[in-house]
Amino acid sequence: MTSVTAATSSQSQASDTSTQTSKWSWTQPDVSYHPDREKWEQRTAKRLAEDPSLTSTPLPEGFPKKAESPLVWEGKDWKNEAQWVFTLSEEHLKEIAVAVKHYHGLGLHFGHISPKTFPLPTLGPILTSLSQELHYGRGFAVVRTIPVSSYSKEDNILIYVGISSYIGATRGLQDANGGVLSHIKDLSSSFRAGQIGGPAYTTDKQVFHTDMGADIVSLFALEIAKEGGISRISSSWRVYNELAEKRPDLVKVLSEDWAVDEWGRDPPYSNRPLLYYLDEKIIIQYARRYFTGFQGLPRSKDIPPITEAQAEALDALHFLAEKYSLGLNFQKGDIQYINNLSVFHARDGFKDDEKQRRHLLRLWQRNEELAWKLPEPLKPLWKKTYDVTPEEQTFAVNPVIRDAVKGKN
């Protein structure tokens, strides 16, 4: 009896804003999940023509004119993937195989996977140093490569969680049933578009964003797409520097409260900034679909529409992230780790075929020793994410749509 508990594509749709005028003095701008460069440029030109002083707006109090850190980088700065890829040796792979047998011998629920129960004598210290790199170095790393075809579904999960426990031992809740493991896979052939509210379950391009409620986001490639699906990352600190220099008004907009859609929960929306500066660190937490909707989960009608300034800021984040991005050669068996507080991530659209279907596993993680201080508005979200005991954790063996991104239709 396995100790794993199984948890039981088209373009995005813009919100229907026609009913919002009864409550609010403005309507949702012409903005959708997939950014439109021409609309962004037109909106920017219009706003600057109406108010040329925007570029002279003072930065919010305490915010730096320029962030200086290894976390400030551009895609062109990286010349060779050996700079961020750690390749497992044959000895490391043997060590992992021994750890798998050791864990099975303990007879524990998978919620108890940790460095103590999944011992990696020589690999463990290397992974710990990679966690240092995530928090105080460049902010990303790739571990290459697990021989996924040599293991069962359950053992691939065990290996992924075991290795990742050295990066961040605390796992975050991703689904309402206690699930701490998500599958990222196109499920559009099994569900109608109206049943899917997030691009992770389609072949659509996924725009630059951060995940909501995670210090570290890791992705394990069980299989890659037949075509496309390139994983892209970008330094949010580099994006901040450009905005601080050229559009400080947008820094101000991002640092003020936004109405974040709670998708029909009570209350229907929460208020918090997308941009923070704390402990000499820039923190950006945002996902575009919370302000535009996606397919079967359009932006809720009875909450404040975003403003024209906010629409421009969303587009600026995406297109600047795109400008400075790095495409990763994500291979089958690779594990990708990013600092979710300082690195945006995205994905190109892709095509599968019957023999090769892109399939990733995802964890939300936290390293309690290395973790950054959190701004007050983010603490409730983090508490909710990480308030799950080992016994409550479940690990979905097969792909399911998370409750948080199920469409309403």
Side-chain angles (χ1 to χ4, degrees), residues 387-399:
D387 188 18
V388 54
T389 67
E391 291 76 15
E392 293 171 328
Q393 295 178 19
T394 60
F395 300 78
V397 176
N398 297 307

Side-chain angles (χ1 to χ4, degrees), residues 283-302:
I283 295 175
I284 300 181
Q285 282 290 282
Y286 95 107
R288 189 179 177 96
R289 70 181 184 87
Y290 283 85
F291 309 103
T292 65
F294 181 87
Q295 285 191 9
L297 205 58
R299 183 166 168 86
S300 300
K301 297 177 181 179
D302 295 327

Side-chain angles (χ1 to χ4, degrees), residues 155-170:
D155 281 351
N156 273 312
I157 292 172
L158 171 57
I159 291 168
Y160 172 40
V161 178
I163 287 175
S164 297
S165 69
Y166 288 83
I167 302 291
T170 305

Side-chain angles (χ1 to χ4, degrees), residues 160 172-175 179-185 200-201 211 218-220 222 359-364 394-396 398-402 405:
Y160 172 40
L173 180 64
Q174 299 188 58
D175 207 1
V180 296
L181 181 79
S182 283
H183 293 252
I184 311 299
K185 188 176 183 180
Y201 304 107
D211 286 6
S218 64
L219 295 168
F220 178 30
L222 296 179
H359 187 179
L360 311 182
L361 300 180
R362 181 180 69 191
L363 291 171
W364 289 345
T394 60
F395 300 78
N398 297 307
V400 293
I401 296 178
R402 293 191 302 126
V405 289

